[in-house]
Amino acid sequence: MTSLGVRRITLADDRRPNFVTLEHVDAGKTVLYAVFFEVEKDKARKRLVLRVQSAYVLEGGLTKRQREAKKIALRTLLRNVQRGTPIRA
């Protein structure tokens, strides 16, 4: 999560903005590790909250939707959430 600003982020589900970043991990063999997260506005404290929903190895590789997902920069994602602007797929 500390390197999220330089990682490729894709829109995992445009119905409830859910995002994913993928990493190739080599533990004897190359596997794909996915971290699914969401970002929302904390209205009470005027800050953004990034919540990791799940993180696990993708045993079967990428799904078609994951392969074709649009990417978004972290800066753009955070700015859009802060302004209340929809995330476009």
Side-chain angles (χ1 to χ4, degrees), residues 2 8 29 40 43 45-46 75 86:
T2 59
R8 178 186 165 98
K29 65 175 185 167
E40 62 187 8
K43 294 177 178 97
R45 298 182 120 181
K46 297 184 181 178
R75 174 176 282 173

Side-chain angles (χ1 to χ4, degrees), residues 40-58:
E40 62 187 8
K41 215 181 207 185
D42 178 357
K43 294 177 178 97
R45 298 182 120 181
K46 297 184 181 178
R47 63 181 177 178
L48 297 177
V49 176
L50 186 148
R51 183 175 297 114
V52 174
Q53 296 168 314
S54 61
Y56 54 88
V57 172
L58 295 176

Side-chain angles (χ1 to χ4, degrees), residues 24-72:
H24 290 280
V25 179
D26 191 352
K29 65 175 185 167
T30 302
V31 294
L32 201 54
Y33 190 77
V35 178
F36 293 86
F37 64 95
E38 64 184 1
V39 179
E40 62 187 8
K41 215 181 207 185
D42 178 357
K43 294 177 178 97
R45 298 182 120 181
K46 297 184 181 178
R47 63 181 177 178
L48 297 177
V49 176
L50 186 148
R51 183 175 297 114
V52 174
Q53 296 168 314
S54 61
Y56 54 88
V57 172
L58 295 176
E59 296 289 340
L62 295 174
T63 65
K64 180 180 177 187
R65 186 171 76 180
Q66 290 166 338
R67 282 191 307 274
E68 296 174 355
K70 305 279 188 201
K71 67 180 182 175
I72 185 168

